Amino acid sequence: MAILPPIRACIFDLDGLLINSEDIYTEIYNKILHSYGKPSLKWTTKALQQSRGKILTTSPGPRTPNNQHAPPPHGPDFQTQVATHHDPFTTSTPLPGVLTLLQTLSSSASPPPHLALASSTTLSFFQKKTSHLPSLTRHFAPHSCLFRDDADMQAKNGKPAGDIFLLALGRINASLMGVGEGEGEGQGRVVRADECLVFEDSIAGVAAGRAAGMRVCWVPHRGLREVCQGMEQEVLAGKMDEVEGRLLALEAERASKGWEGEEGSISEGEAEGGGRVDRIVSGDGWAEMIGSLEEFDYAGYGIRVQD
């Protein structure tokens, strides 16, 4: 296993990693699906589209006497309904360990790593989700935040491509060299990709971090962790196609057994996180899975924390 340099920059996803918005999305999707007589959303479905910057869809499934005349839960009608349910996001909360981690990195680490945010949400939706959370957002300078509708992203690819993380690194380095909005933050040696740590909760996000040549800390939702049992090494290696193939096979197997939202589905009471789990490290040492940001190992990444 290669000896890796200390981490000098941390780039964070938002939904499901810093705040509990994935659970809010799930509640919204399930309400709409249930109105069509459909079963609750399954993690085998959600895992395939998380962090893609799209409205989640699901296959119509078999028609029953209760839903044979209902429109399938995807397409413009479904998207319109999702858009009418944005108010719950104004009550989103930080996930366990988030505020402590950000505060430690900002104030107790020596030297403090540069922090950036790279999310598949839009700027306006980010503001709706976090305007009531200044204790979280204060750790990210505006110029170090990237969203899918950012002008710099228009000619780029979203996750699982690594473009958004490389753009975030570019902004960190621009601030170090006194260029653009970050001017005045101080001169310094530019940060290399292998000195960056990406924090992600989704499979696509992990693949994006690996594609960018960065190290990755994967903190999946409990439901995602359960459906990915036995696939962790493939996820951590960024093998998106292989993981998708296995998830599709799992979804088909469960559908053939008639699972209608019980086993393998996401309920409104199934919270993000889920307690301490065994840490899993990729074969090359570039990525790891932990159960919560409360378990983050600063020393393992060469981040010195002052007492």
Side-chain angles (χ1 to χ4, degrees):
M1 189 179 297
I3 298 177
L4 299 170
I7 290 300
R8 297 180 58 219
C10 296
I11 306 177
F12 292 84
D13 179 44
L14 176 69
D15 294 303
L17 186 279
L18 297 181
I19 59 175
N20 69 331
S21 46
E22 285 295 348
D23 282 336
I24 297 174
Y25 275 119
T26 294
E27 292 180 16
I28 293 171
Y29 295 146
N30 282 345
K31 285 180 181 178
I32 298 172
L33 290 168
H34 295 165
S35 74
Y36 288 125
K38 306 293 182 181
S40 295
L41 185 67
K42 295 179 174 62
W43 262 109
T44 47
T45 300
K46 189 168 185 176
L48 295 170
Q49 298 197 32
Q50 236 186 336
S51 291
R52 302 297 187 90
K54 303 174 182 177
I55 295 295
L56 189 69
T57 65
T58 185
S59 57
R63 292 189 179 275
T64 70
N66 293 327
N67 71 2
Q68 59 183 341
H69 299 298
H74 60 79
D77 183 61
F78 186 70
Q79 295 183 26
T80 299
Q81 290 191 58
V82 172
T84 65
H85 289 78
H86 282 182
D87 284 348
F89 290 102
T90 61
T91 61
S92 61
T93 58
L95 287 169
V98 167
L99 297 182
T100 298
L101 173 65
L102 293 176
Q103 181 64 31
T104 300
L105 293 174
S106 298
S107 303
S108 300
S110 179
H114 306 282
L115 305 184
L117 188 71
S119 170
S120 298
T121 195
T122 63
L123 173 59
S124 62
F125 209 179
F126 165 75
Q127 293 169 337
K128 181 181 286 290
K129 294 171 181 175
T130 63
S131 61
H132 60 293
L133 299 173
S135 58
L136 187 156
T137 56
R138 68 184 180 86
H139 296 285
F140 301 99
H143 70 270
S144 67
C145 296
L146 264 169
F147 307 102
R148 79 165 187 260
D149 59 346
D150 191 285
D152 289 343
M153 279 296 296
Q154 298 314 298
K156 302 294 183 179
N157 295 310
K159 302 172 187 178
D163 295 1
I164 194 168
F165 293 131
L166 291 171
L167 282 171
L169 174 57
R171 290 190 177 182
I172 289 171
N173 283 329
S175 71
L176 283 173
M177 305 312 294
V179 177
E181 294 182 59
E183 188 170 354
E185 290 191 7
Q187 300 292 321
R189 179 174 65 82
V190 298
V191 179
R192 302 191 313 265
D194 64 348
E195 296 174 311
C196 289
L197 177 61
V198 168
F199 288 84
E200 266 286 355
D201 68 303
S202 71
I203 297 169
V206 173
R210 295 303 307 259
M214 300 176 182
R215 296 170 70 182
V216 180
C217 181
W218 182 36
V219 193
H221 188 289
R222 182 179 62 191
L224 180 60
R225 199 166 65 233
E226 289 174 354
V227 298
C228 286
Q229 284 183 355
M231 310 179 203
E232 294 93 346
Q233 286 296 335
E234 289 84 355
V235 174
L236 292 172
K239 296 180 179 179
M240 190 77 185
D241 291 342
E242 186 172 337
V243 174
E244 284 191 341
R246 293 182 65 178
L247 285 171
L248 287 169
L250 178 61
E251 186 172 40
E253 177 187 358
R254 291 182 169 184
S256 71
K257 294 180 180 178
W259 291 354
E260 287 287 320
E262 296 297 329
E263 188 174 1
S265 68
I266 311 166
S267 67
E268 294 183 10
E270 184 181 86
E272 298 183 55
R276 181 170 293 274
V277 299
D278 291 337
R279 174 175 176 257
I280 298 177
V281 180
S282 64
D284 61 3
W286 279 68
E288 70 167 341
M289 185 194 83
I290 58 176
S292 164
L293 288 176
E294 295 172 301
E295 303 167 22
F296 181 68
D297 178 16
Y298 299 92
Y301 290 96
I303 299 174
R304 298 193 303 272
V305 177
Q306 298 174 328
D307 295 331

